[in-house]
Every structure is written in C-alpha cells, then in structure tokens.
Amino acid sequence: MRILGIDPGIAIVGFGFVDKNGSKVTPVQYGSIQTEAHTPDEERLLHVYEAMLQLIDKYQPEAVAFEKLFFNRNVTTAMSVSQARGVLILAATQRGLPIAEYTPMQVKQAIVGYGKAEKKQVQEMVRMFLKLQAVPKPDDVADALAVAICHAHSYTLNSRINEVLRK
C-alpha cells in the first residue's frame, strides 16, 4: 500500500510517500512544495493544488494522511494554512483517495511511543525508521513522513481489529 503523508502550509507543504509491505515501511519520495512570499494567496493556493495533483498522479498513493491542525496563537496563520489544507484535501478527493487525519499526539505516539515527545525526537525516529542518512529538511518534510508512518501503523492495527470483528 502506498501512503501519502502531508504537512499542510501556505509557504511550505511537506509531503512524503511511503510503501507499506507487511510490517515494513519504506520511503518512496519526499520533499516540499514551496510558494513565494508576498505572492497573492490565490496564486499560492493554485500552485499548491496543481503541484499536489502532479505528485498524486506520478506516485499513485492509495491513501492520504494529514496531521490535524492545531493553533493556539496566530489566527492569520491558521486561516492561510487551513486554506492550503482545503486545496490539498480537494486534490486528494478529486483523485478518489481516502483521507485520514491524526492529532499531533497520535503521530508522536506512533513514531516515538510517547505522545508528548519533542519535535527533534520525532524527526530522528523518522530518519532511523526509514533508514535515511539525514533528517529530511525542511522540518515539514519529516513531519509529513511521520504522518505517513503513523497511518501505516494505524492501518495495520485497524485491519487487524476489523478482521477479528468479522469472525
């Protein structure tokens, strides 16, 4: 199963494609979509949308996972990130992909085993788990890969639960 993890943003969208085969999760492609500062939001959103459609078409994921947004300070940032998230969800939905969402605590729990882990701990565990030479940069990319790994673990768990319930 190929999973696309996304860390949404208006300036930087982190993405990570991973393949899940049994209990093994391997990286396929990862990186970021970046938009120019001081560009009108509608142009930035169009760029994010079109770039995501190209990535989905090229790497053909079977599921998309997002980290649920959590903001406690900047309302302006929350609005623009929410708009970017909306066009990303639209791109996935137009391609018929199921979407999953995970809280930051769920992602940390899946990656580190502790829901209140520090960001650096999560990034290092992503590097180790995927056998990467370095932590992916910018941070948004490592976060997207963490979300994809979280979904891979959750998908396995949910599949097992559904299998037991069917018996």
Side-chain angles (χ1 to χ4, degrees):
M1 167 182 232
R2 181 158 294 167
I3 300 164
L4 167 58
I6 298 176
D7 183 31
I10 188 76
I12 301 172
V13 175
F15 67 86
F17 292 88
V18 299
D19 280 346
K20 179 185 177 348
N21 296 309
S23 62
K24 187 176 181 180
V25 178
T26 55
V28 175
Q29 182 61 277
Y30 52 90
S32 63
I33 301 167
Q34 299 190 19
T35 63
E36 294 282 333
H38 310 296
T39 302
D41 281 356
E42 59 273 17
E43 290 178 30
R44 295 174 96 176
L45 292 168
L46 180 62
H47 174 73
V48 165
Y49 171 76
E50 289 176 340
M52 184 53 62
L53 282 177
Q54 289 176 357
L55 288 166
I56 289 170
D57 291 345
K58 182 174 182 176
Y59 294 103
Q60 298 290 304
E62 296 167 64
V64 180
F66 286 87
E67 186 172 80
K68 287 185 180 178
L69 298 180
F70 174 76
F71 291 96
N72 59 357
R73 288 191 193 99
N74 191 332
V75 174
T76 304
T77 301
M79 292 301 292
S80 61
V81 172
S82 294
Q83 290 174 330
R85 187 175 182 279
V87 300
L88 292 162
I89 289 172
L90 175 63
T93 302
Q94 283 184 325
R95 293 303 190 254
L97 298 170
I99 295 170
E101 297 180 296
Y102 300 94
T103 65
M105 187 174 277
Q106 287 173 310
V107 174
K108 291 174 181 179
Q109 180 71 38
I111 303 301
V112 180
Y114 177 60
K116 294 183 181 179
E118 297 292 323
K119 191 172 191 77
K120 295 290 183 203
Q121 290 175 293
V122 175
Q123 293 171 344
E124 182 59 21
M125 288 302 291
V126 166
R127 184 194 69 76
M128 290 172 41
F129 192 80
L130 297 176
K131 297 176 177 66
L132 303 174
Q133 299 244 339
V135 171
K137 295 291 179 191
D139 292 350
D140 312 79
V141 178
D143 293 347
L145 285 167
V147 174
I149 295 166
C150 175
H151 185 67
H153 291 319
S154 296
Y155 181 81
T156 299
L157 180 61
N158 289 335
S159 295
R160 288 181 186 152
I161 290 170
N162 288 334
E163 191 176 301
V164 169
L165 292 175
R166 276 189 234 124
K167 291 182 181 181

